[in-house]
């Protein structure tokens, strides 16, 4: 018996572990089974958002149905923490008579340690483990500097990544062929794997699961939005992005599938900003950059800054100020609209993520780790590599060529990227009737109208900006 272990790769297509496990169906092939592990306590420790948890469990049900149609049974294990996985998996392998385990490699440190313990436990009963790159276009470690080190700045990494991709190419793995008669599938909730400890499990209707839905979104974006992406991606009131991030984070679609579809749409792979489609491809490369960093700099999985010296920065841990930011009560309309949108929907536009992260770290001077954890606890697309990379970029502690002197002005950011205030009025009900002229700086207008429905700005941005820069300059003097 061969066993394929699904993790953040909940798909049939372009799944190298699944494809290698199944091989070519035939009479001489070993039987194949599949596995997914539910770890509620570990998920909570990793701050997994309830909406993301529901999304993943709904996709497991969808995957179970698809595997059952191929004659492959998806087994479920429920263990509270990763520490329990090796023994539970070894027991399942003995029960099923498994001789080989197949899985796509994890990039997070806790998951890598878990997989090492699994390999050791299964070796004791002569079960071999086979690991594959299923989460990146190019495997971590492939794109390095001339001195064989990880790039510390994105732009040279991007150039090297494009060169390496030209040299290596890539293959899209097809979904496996049927391996037997279709099997029945009983949903997770009916099988006792989902209970009160996991909370609400009904998926959000705004985020349908399934590989077909992920591909539909991808091709709709490539047909309607990719050519204008560079001009529309920063405006949250517009549908200018692919909205694929939850599907990529759960592995319902792979980055290779995205690159392949882009190439097919354009008749080739763009190589520079001057070429159509490159801006979106560059976003996929950003995703690769942060994933490679997480593997090659393990301390990033341990709440440590990429630049070690910035650990000495005098960050604030002010709980009241942090709560106001979380709840969208800062007095800066674009920040408040973004946070209220996140809390209500589990998703936030990328430009807004940069604005609110800059505000928390550079205006309120609150530690980026609090913001990173809060995002993970709310985002349907919560992904450690991208989330950590984005927060450290905003805070000035990460891999970036322009660290501390980048401080977003929340007012001018709102004026530039939500000029008519459409996004703000959607999410900040107190400002729904304000004219566009006043929506970004509403306080004088509200005062004239005798209304006290919206909080005053928490901080003076100009003063807070100076203090943020001083924090880093003082660090350089030490």
């Amino acid at each position: 018996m061969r066993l394929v272990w699904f993790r953040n790769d909940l798909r049939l297509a372009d799944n190298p572990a699944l494809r290698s496990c199944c091989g070519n169906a035939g009479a001489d092939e070993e039987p194949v089974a599949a596995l997914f592990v539910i770890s509620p306590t570990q998920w909570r420790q990793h701050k997994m958002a309830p909406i993301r948890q529901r999304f993943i469990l709904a996709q497991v049900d969808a995957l179970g149905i698809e595997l059952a149609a191929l004659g492959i049974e998806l087994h479920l294990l429920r263990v509270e923490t990763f520490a329990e996985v090796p023994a539970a998996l070894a027991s399942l392998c003995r029960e099923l008579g498994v001789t080989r385990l197949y899985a796509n490699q994890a990039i997070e440190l806790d998951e890598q340690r878990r997989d090492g313990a699994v390999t050791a436990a299964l070796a004791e009963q002569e079960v071999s483990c086979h690991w594959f790159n299923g989460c990146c276009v190019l495997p971590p470690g492939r794109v390095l500097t001339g001195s064989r080190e990880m790039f510390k700045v994105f732009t040279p990494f991007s150039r090297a990544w494009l060169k390496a991709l030209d040299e290596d190419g890539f293959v899209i793995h097809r979904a496996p062929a049927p391996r037997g008669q279709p099997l029945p599938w009983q949903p997770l909730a009916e099988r006792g794997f989902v209970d009160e400890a996991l909370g609400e499990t009904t998926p959000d209707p705004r985020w349908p699961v399934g590989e077909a839905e992920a591909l539909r979104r991808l091709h709709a974006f490539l047909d309607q939005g990719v050519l204008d992406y560079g001009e529309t991606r920063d405006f949250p009131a517009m549908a200018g992005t692919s909205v694929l991030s939850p599907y990529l984070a759960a592995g319902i679609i792979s980055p290779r599938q995205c690159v392949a579809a882009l190439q097919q749409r354009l008749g080739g792979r763009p190589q520079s900003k001057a070429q159509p489609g490159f801006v979106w491809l560059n976003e996929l490369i950003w995703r690769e950059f942060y994933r490679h960093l997480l593997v090659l700099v393990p301390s990033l999985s341990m709440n440590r800054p990429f630049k070690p010296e910035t650990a000495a920065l005098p960050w604030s841990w002010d709980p009241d100020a942090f709560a106001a930011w979380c709840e969208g009560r800062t007095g800066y309309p674009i920040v408040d609209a973004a946070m209220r949108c996140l809390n209500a929907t589990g998703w936030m536009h990328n430009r807004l993520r940069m604005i609110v992260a800059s505000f928390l770290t550079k205006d309120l001077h609150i530690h980026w780790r609090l913001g990173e954890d809060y995002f993970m606890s709310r985002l349907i697309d919560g992904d450690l590599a991208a989330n950590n990379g984005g927060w450290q970029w905003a805070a000035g502690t990460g891999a970036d060529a322009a660290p501390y002197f980048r401080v977003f002005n929340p007012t001018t950011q709102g004026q530039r990227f939500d000029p008519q205030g459409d996004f703000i009025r959607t999410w900040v009900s107190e400002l729904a009737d304000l004219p566009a002229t006043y929506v970004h700086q509403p306080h004088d207008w509200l005062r004239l109208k005798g209304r006290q429905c919206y909080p005053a700005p928490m901080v003076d941005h100009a003063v807070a900006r100076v203090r943020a820069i001083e924090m880093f300059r003082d660090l350089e003097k030490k």
Side-chain angles (χ1 to χ4, degrees):
M1 171 76 75
R2 299 179 184 180
L3 181 66
V4 58
W5 180 10
F6 287 89
R7 292 98 77 79
N8 287 339
D9 51 2
L10 301 175
R11 62 183 184 272
L12 300 184
D14 196 39
N15 189 322
L18 174 64
R19 187 67 186 175
S20 295
C21 180
C22 290
N24 298 312
D28 59 339
E29 289 288 333
E30 289 182 89
V32 168
L35 168 69
F36 182 78
V37 179
I38 299 171
S39 302
T41 299
Q42 193 75 51
W43 289 356
R44 286 193 294 273
Q45 291 174 358
H46 285 173
K47 308 295 191 300
M48 183 185 288
I51 191 173
R52 173 166 163 75
Q53 180 176 277
R54 297 197 299 271
F55 186 68
I56 288 172
L57 292 175
Q59 177 60 22
V60 170
D61 261 329
L63 179 67
I65 293 170
E66 293 183 328
L67 287 168
L70 298 177
I72 300 173
E73 182 177 1
L74 176 60
H75 296 266
L76 298 171
L77 283 178
R78 175 166 171 167
V79 296
E80 292 304 310
T81 66
F82 287 166
E84 301 169 52
V85 172
L89 187 47
S91 177
L92 179 66
C93 287
R94 284 193 299 270
E95 177 186 337
L96 298 178
V98 172
T99 58
R100 283 180 275 187
L101 176 74
Y102 295 76
N104 293 310
Q105 292 170 327
I107 61 168
E108 302 85 357
L109 187 59
D110 284 347
E111 284 78 353
Q112 288 184 359
R113 289 171 171 168
R114 173 202 62 194
D115 293 350
V118 165
T119 299
L122 295 188
E124 294 180 2
Q125 54 194 59
E126 299 184 348
V127 176
S128 61
C129 294
H130 306 266
W131 307 98
F132 302 85
N133 168 41
C135 71
C136 295
V137 178
L138 296 173
R142 172 64 182 89
V143 185
L144 300 173
T145 67
S147 56
R148 307 301 297 167
E149 296 178 348
M150 178 63 199
F151 284 94
K152 297 181 179 180
V153 178
F154 172 72
T155 299
F157 174 88
S158 177
R159 288 194 293 264
W161 187 91
L162 287 165
K163 183 175 182 293
L165 187 60
D166 286 339
E167 293 171 352
D168 294 2
F170 63 94
V171 175
I172 299 294
H173 300 270
R174 292 175 297 178
R179 299 187 60 84
Q181 293 298 313
L183 302 172
W185 173 257
Q186 187 178 18
L188 274 65
E190 295 179 9
R191 298 168 66 177
F193 284 95
V194 177
D195 57 21
E196 296 80 8
L198 282 168
E200 174 61 46
T201 58
T202 304
D204 191 312
R206 288 169 291 199
W207 302 101
V209 298
E211 291 179 70
E213 173 64 17
L215 289 171
R216 185 197 66 77
R217 291 183 177 224
L218 171 62
H219 289 293
F221 171 71
L222 294 177
D223 289 341
Q224 302 165 16
V226 72
L227 298 182
D228 298 324
Y229 179 73
E231 289 72 44
T232 61
R233 63 175 178 149
D234 284 318
F235 296 86
M238 299 178 64
T241 66
S242 69
V243 201
L244 279 171
S245 55
Y247 300 87
L248 282 164
I252 301 173
I253 195 170
S254 78
R256 282 187 295 253
Q257 288 174 289
C258 294
V259 174
L262 177 65
Q263 291 178 180
Q264 184 177 25
R265 169 68 176 81
L266 301 177
R269 185 163 59 247
Q271 297 289 327
S272 70
K273 292 180 180 179
Q275 294 180 293
F278 181 82
V279 178
W280 188 63
L281 175 62
N282 215 37
E283 291 302 307
L284 294 174
I285 303 174
W286 267 107
R287 182 179 186 275
E288 297 268 305
F289 179 56
Y290 286 142
R291 296 179 86 76
H292 287 213
L293 268 182
L294 199 68
V295 173
L296 298 173
V297 186
S299 61
L300 295 176
S301 291
M302 302 164 66
N303 293 320
R304 296 176 186 169
F306 178 77
K307 296 174 180 173
E309 67 276 11
T310 62
L313 285 165
W315 296 111
S316 167
W317 300 85
D318 184 337
D320 293 335
F322 180 63
W325 175 85
C326 292
E327 296 166 12
R329 296 186 287 104
T330 69
Y332 284 89
I334 194 66
V335 174
D336 294 341
M339 295 305 298
R340 296 183 194 187
C341 176
L342 170 64
N343 292 333
T345 70
W347 190 78
M348 187 187 291
H349 188 280
N350 187 59
R351 169 57 59 173
L352 299 178
R353 297 187 197 205
M354 292 189 285
I355 293 171
V356 303
S358 179
F359 186 84
L360 185 72
T361 57
K362 301 291 181 63
D363 283 78
L364 301 183
H365 312 132
I366 289 176
H367 203 301
W368 55 267
R369 282 172 49 190
L370 292 180
E372 179 191 16
D373 282 353
Y374 189 76
F375 265 30
M376 287 296 287
S377 74
R378 292 294 185 272
L379 284 170
I380 190 170
D381 61 358
D383 172 84
L384 177 60
N387 192 48
N388 178 273
W391 272 98
Q392 293 218 42
W393 180 89
T397 64
D400 187 16
Y404 64 82
F405 45 81
R406 182 199 296 108
V407 182
F408 285 10
N409 182 318
T411 301
T412 57
Q413 286 282 310
Q415 291 168 337
R416 181 178 177 186
F417 297 114
D418 189 27
Q420 299 304 311
D422 295 332
F423 181 81
I424 289 171
R425 280 191 290 268
T426 298
W427 293 103
V428 183
S429 59
E430 307 96 293
L431 308 180
D433 62 345
L434 261 68
T437 307
Y438 299 100
V439 73
H440 297 285
Q441 295 176 294
H443 303 92
D444 289 343
W445 189 89
L446 292 172
R447 194 176 302 113
L448 285 173
K449 299 294 182 179
R451 291 165 55 177
Q452 299 178 348
C453 58
Y454 184 64
M458 291 179 64
V459 292
D460 182 322
H461 169 72
V463 174
R465 177 183 180 278
V466 170
R467 172 57 187 145
I469 292 174
E470 286 177 346
M471 284 170 53
F472 282 87
R473 287 181 175 163
D474 290 346
L475 188 65
E476 289 181 337
K477 296 174 184 177
K478 294 180 180 179

